[in-house]
């Protein structure tokens, strides 16, 4: 059953019309862009890890009650080199490639030397980011590829390093009400001490002709030094409130020495990530206006986090919700030899996989020298999260567990950085990776509801707010669904965000591949 995740996808370069059943809201006008790995072998060579697959970008366009679908592979330098060579020639996260033995000795030596300091692939397979008025396929490297959201054509490759000193950057930025984009990255090589960097790309950054990259207007907001120079924390996302950024410096780390020597030792990049279960997690609160970090040392037990859900401020507290794991086994589960197992074997071999847990942390901001030691400083009445000040003035934080078994979270983004009540996600149960349910969780009642259909696997839910909606859950949920049943066409699912009842589906008359993340772009009036 896992094979539906690792089969090669195919392009649908021209729009095809979907068959709509039910009734689409008349106000639903725009395009949902989705991104994810879609090609797992080139010629006779195969990738080792699911996160290595070549990016396949999908678009679902909603217009006047109709839905059209198209997809194209991202024409990155990596994709072009692989397809021209009819084999994998560029190393990926879990796949290490050496130079063609037929190349001359000088070419091979030069390639080995370059890989002492890795120049990462530009296979941007994780998400779609908006900078200014431009859209980019992104992953967690120094390259992004601009795409045309209407045609899915690859426009150009952009290197962060040409505009800001970054070696890695997240694929989960934040957007404010003015249209500015905030993102975070890691500087390993460059002048000065290695650091984490938070930056802003203004809404006006794009030029009218879209010929100059929006990143030319990038503004660094702040930097945070590594707590360990050779072991920077891995991070996939971060939190943002009205006045603060929230950065979780976790003990899931990148070993820089291993990374620098990986190519010579025959080790792929995935083996350069380590989880130290005996270490602690640091929580950094940075003022958005001044760029200064809160001087209090907030920390908690070791955890691994990929996705933040939301963050906000309440009565001199910063509240942030995230999805945590007890270890880093999630990455290991996605090796393709794992995914090709029969379902029963897959479940058995991953029986020790720890389920994701939605947790709430609360950090009090009004701490002072006279704060009583050993007491919980959280005064909010709607959470059991604790923040206990220690003798040395540091604050030990323990979370409030909200919900277990949910990933790929989504909210009504109008409530991003604000107090909110609901979040949505893909349900992850004891059979790992079988994301066959969509769930809605109510933080106030601590109850949830679900959508499910037999043999169907849904992608990350995307919330689209209804125009003029009053309630937080006034809107719809969009999710691309594929089926293990060959007689069931893939379809775009449209759910009522209040009840998770299906109001429409658009059956796609061509193959659609499972994806990761995406972005809804409303139609311009």
């Amino acid at each position: 059953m896992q094979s539906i995740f690792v089969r090669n996808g195919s392009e649908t370069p021209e729009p095809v019309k979907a068959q709509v059943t039910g009734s689409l809201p008349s106000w639903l006008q725009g395009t949902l862009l989705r991104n994810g790995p879609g090609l797992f072998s080139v010629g006779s060579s195969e990738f080792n890890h699911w996160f290595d697959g070549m990016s396949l970008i999908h678009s679902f366009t909603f217009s006047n009650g109709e839905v059209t679908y198209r997809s194209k592979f991202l024409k990155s330098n990596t994709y072009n080199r692989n397809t021209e060579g009819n084999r994998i020639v560029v190393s990926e996260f879990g796949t290490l490639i050496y130079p063609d033995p037929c190349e001359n000795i000088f070419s091979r030596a030069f390639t080995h030397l370059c890989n002492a300091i890795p120049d990462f692939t530009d296979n941007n397979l994780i998400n779609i980011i908006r900078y200014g008025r431009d859209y980019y396929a992104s992953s967690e490297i120094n390259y992004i590829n601009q795409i045309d959201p209407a045609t899915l054509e690859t426009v150009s490759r952009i290197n962060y390093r040409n505009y800001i000193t970054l070696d890695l950057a997240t694929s989960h930025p934040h957007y404010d009400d003015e249209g500015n984009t905030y993102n975070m990255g890691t500087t390993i090589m460059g002048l000065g001490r290695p650091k984490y960097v938070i930056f802003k790309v203004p809404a006006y950054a794009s030029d009218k002709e879209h010929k100059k990259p929006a990143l030319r207007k990038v503004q660094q907001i702040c930097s945070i030094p590594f707590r360990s120079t050779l072991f920077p924390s891995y991070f996939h996302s971060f939190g943002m409130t009205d006045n603060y950024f929230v950065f979780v410096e976790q003990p899931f780390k990148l070993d820089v020495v291993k990374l620098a020597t990986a190519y010579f030792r025959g080790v792929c990049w995935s083996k350069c990530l380590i989880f130290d279960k005996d270490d602690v997690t640091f929580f950094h609160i940075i003022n958005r206006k001044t760029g200064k970090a809160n001087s209090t040392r907030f920390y908690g037990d070791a955890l691994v986090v990929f996705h933040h859900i939301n963050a906000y401020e309440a009565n001199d507290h910063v509240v942030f919700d995230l999805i945590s794991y007890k270890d880093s086994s999630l990455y290991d589960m996605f090796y393709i030899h794992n995914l090709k197992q029969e379902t029963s074997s897959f479940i058995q071999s991953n029986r020790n996989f720890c389920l994701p847990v939605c947790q709430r942390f609360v950090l009090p901001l009004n701490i002072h020298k006279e704060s009583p030691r050993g007491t919980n400083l959280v005064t909010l009445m709607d959470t059991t999260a604790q923040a206990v000040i220690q003798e040395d003035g540091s604050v030990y934080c323990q979370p409030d567990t909200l919900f277990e078994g949910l990933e790929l979270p989504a909210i009504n983004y109008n409530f991003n950085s604000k107090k909110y009540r609901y979040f949505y996600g893909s349900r992850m149960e004891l059979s790992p990776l079988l994301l066959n349910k969509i769930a809605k969780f109510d933080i106030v009642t601590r109850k949830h509801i679900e959508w499910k259909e037999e043999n169907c696997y849904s992608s990350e839910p995307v919330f689209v707010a209804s125009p003029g909606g009053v309630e937080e859950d006034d809107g719809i949920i969009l999710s691309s669904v594929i089926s293990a049943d060959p007689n069931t066409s893939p379809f775009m699912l449209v759910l009522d965000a209040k009840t998770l009842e299906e109001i429409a589906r658009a059956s796609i008359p061509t193959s659609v591949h499972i994806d990761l993340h995406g972005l809804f772009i409303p139609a311009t009036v």
Side-chain angles (χ1 to χ4, degrees):
M1 190 178 295
Q2 315 303 328
S3 61
I4 63 172
F5 292 91
V6 296
R7 66 189 178 197
N8 280 345
S10 58
E11 290 185 316
T12 304
E14 297 301 323
V16 295
K17 186 176 178 180
Q19 181 179 353
V20 177
T21 56
S23 180
L24 291 171
S26 59
W27 53 262
L28 181 59
Q29 307 283 325
T31 298
L32 175 63
L33 295 182
R34 304 290 302 168
N35 196 356
L39 191 67
F40 300 95
S41 63
V42 183
S44 59
S45 56
E46 298 182 348
F47 292 111
N48 295 332
H49 200 279
W50 196 70
F51 293 147
D52 295 345
M54 296 284 95
S55 165
L56 180 59
I57 300 176
H58 315 258
S59 71
F60 302 85
T61 299
F62 303 86
S63 179
N64 301 321
E66 295 184 346
V67 180
T68 54
Y69 169 80
R70 75 195 308 172
S71 64
K72 290 183 182 179
F73 286 109
L74 180 71
K75 303 307 189 295
S76 62
N77 285 12
T78 296
Y79 176 89
N80 293 333
R81 289 177 61 191
N82 287 344
T83 53
E84 287 169 7
N86 196 34
R87 68 182 184 92
I88 300 169
V89 299
V90 180
S91 294
E92 296 288 346
F93 172 78
T95 305
L96 182 66
I97 300 297
Y98 284 106
D100 188 333
C102 296
E103 290 181 350
N104 65 55
I105 190 170
F106 298 105
S107 175
R108 294 203 304 273
F110 180 73
T111 302
H112 279 279
L113 180 62
C114 288
N115 277 278
I117 301 176
D119 187 28
F120 298 109
T121 168
D122 68 339
N123 175 33
N124 302 126
L125 75 155
I126 294 179
N127 204 359
I128 304 295
I129 289 180
R130 177 181 60 75
Y131 285 132
R133 295 189 300 274
D134 302 332
Y135 295 89
Y136 298 86
S138 67
S139 46
E140 297 181 325
I141 50 182
N142 58 295
Y143 293 114
I144 51 178
N145 274 280
Q146 185 179 353
I147 62 168
D148 183 322
T151 66
L152 303 188
E153 290 295 323
T154 304
V155 178
S156 62
R157 183 173 80 163
I158 303 295
N159 189 343
Y160 277 111
R161 292 172 182 163
N162 292 337
Y163 306 95
I164 185 171
T165 307
L166 285 180
D167 300 297
L168 305 166
T170 86
S171 283
H172 289 285
H174 286 281
Y175 309 96
D176 66 17
D177 294 338
E178 285 76 44
N180 302 306
T181 304
Y182 301 85
N183 207 349
M184 185 167 183
T186 302
T187 299
I188 301 174
M189 298 168 286
L191 298 175
R193 184 177 175 181
K195 53 190 174 290
Y196 311 106
V197 173
I198 298 176
F199 60 93
K200 170 185 175 180
V201 179
Y204 60 80
S206 303
D207 68 322
K208 292 181 180 179
E209 290 78 26
H210 297 271
K211 293 182 179 179
K212 296 179 180 178
L215 279 176
R216 67 198 171 95
K217 298 286 188 178
V218 66
Q219 303 166 8
Q220 180 172 314
I221 295 176
C222 69
S223 65
I224 307 162
F226 297 171
R227 60 168 154 158
S228 176
T229 302
L230 297 178
F231 296 94
S233 171
Y234 168 81
F235 55 97
H236 185 71
S237 60
F238 62 104
M240 186 175 81
T241 73
D242 284 340
N243 294 293
Y244 300 97
F245 297 109
V246 179
F247 168 49
V248 177
E249 192 174 15
Q250 61 186 335
F252 187 34
K253 312 170 189 178
L254 176 65
D255 186 324
V256 173
V257 174
K258 276 189 176 181
L259 180 67
T261 59
Y263 194 78
F264 303 111
R265 294 183 297 107
V267 175
C268 58
W269 300 329
S270 63
K271 301 301 182 184
C272 300
L273 286 169
I274 57 172
F275 174 64
D276 185 352
K277 64 180 177 59
D278 298 317
D279 201 353
V280 297
T281 302
F282 286 151
F283 305 111
H284 299 277
I285 304 297
I286 303 101
N287 189 294
R288 283 176 58 180
K289 294 181 178 65
T290 66
K292 293 183 178 180
N294 189 298
S295 59
T296 302
R297 182 177 178 266
F298 296 103
Y299 72 99
D301 296 330
L303 57 76
V304 172
V305 57
F306 301 104
H307 296 118
H308 284 246
I309 303 172
N310 198 8
Y312 62 91
E313 297 157 45
N315 300 328
D316 283 331
H317 298 75
V318 168
V319 180
F320 60 96
D321 301 337
L322 50 75
I323 297 175
S324 74
Y325 295 82
K326 292 181 180 178
D327 58 36
S328 58
S329 59
L330 180 69
Y331 267 135
D332 294 335
M333 193 173 68
F334 279 88
Y335 278 98
I336 288 178
H337 68 82
N338 237 338
L339 299 178
K340 286 185 175 180
Q341 298 179 88
E342 291 297 322
T343 299
S344 57
S345 300
F346 178 84
I347 294 172
Q348 178 64 22
S349 61
N350 290 281
R351 63 188 181 278
N352 294 324
F353 166 75
C354 58
L355 282 172
V357 180
C358 303
Q359 294 183 318
R360 168 162 291 183
F361 287 88
V362 180
L363 309 186
L365 298 175
N366 56 352
I367 298 172
H368 47 79
K369 293 180 180 179
E370 291 74 31
S371 295
R373 269 43 180 174
T375 59
N376 176 25
L377 301 180
V378 176
T379 58
L380 302 181
M381 302 303 293
D382 59 353
T383 181
T384 60
Q386 295 191 15
V388 178
I389 189 165
Q390 307 297 297
E391 288 298 327
D392 62 359
S394 64
V395 178
Y396 173 54
C397 303
Q398 291 179 290
D400 177 3
T401 295
L402 302 176
F403 189 52
E404 185 174 286
L406 181 143
E407 252 294 2
L408 304 177
I411 62 170
N412 178 346
Y413 205 77
N414 292 329
F415 286 77
N416 188 57
S417 77
K418 299 172 177 61
K419 188 170 184 178
Y420 74 119
R421 178 170 179 172
Y422 306 108
F423 60 82
Y424 304 80
S426 297
R427 196 79 164 90
M428 213 174 191
E429 298 187 301
L430 291 177
S431 301
L433 203 65
L434 300 187
L435 303 176
N436 58 348
K437 296 179 181 179
I438 295 173
K440 174 188 181 182
F441 183 75
D442 185 329
I443 297 171
V444 174
T445 65
R446 302 294 173 108
K447 294 180 180 180
H448 76 284
I449 55 176
E450 295 178 341
W451 174 91
K452 178 184 178 181
E453 186 164 316
E454 197 69 27
N455 290 322
C456 286
Y457 302 92
S458 55
S459 71
E460 167 194 60
V462 175
F463 186 100
V464 183
S466 57
V470 176
E471 301 293 332
E472 181 184 336
D473 54 357
D474 283 342
I476 59 169
I477 293 294
L478 301 177
S479 180
S480 173
V481 181
I482 63 172
S483 176
D485 181 352
N487 297 315
T488 301
S489 298
F491 58 93
M492 172 54 59
L493 176 67
V494 185
L495 302 176
D496 184 319
K498 283 186 178 295
T499 63
L500 288 196
E501 292 178 356
E502 180 177 330
I503 59 175
R505 71 172 59 186
S507 297
I508 313 295
T510 187
S511 64
V512 177
H513 207 276
I514 198 76
D515 54 45
L516 277 170
H517 300 294
L519 183 68
F520 182 78
I521 306 172
T524 54
V525 179

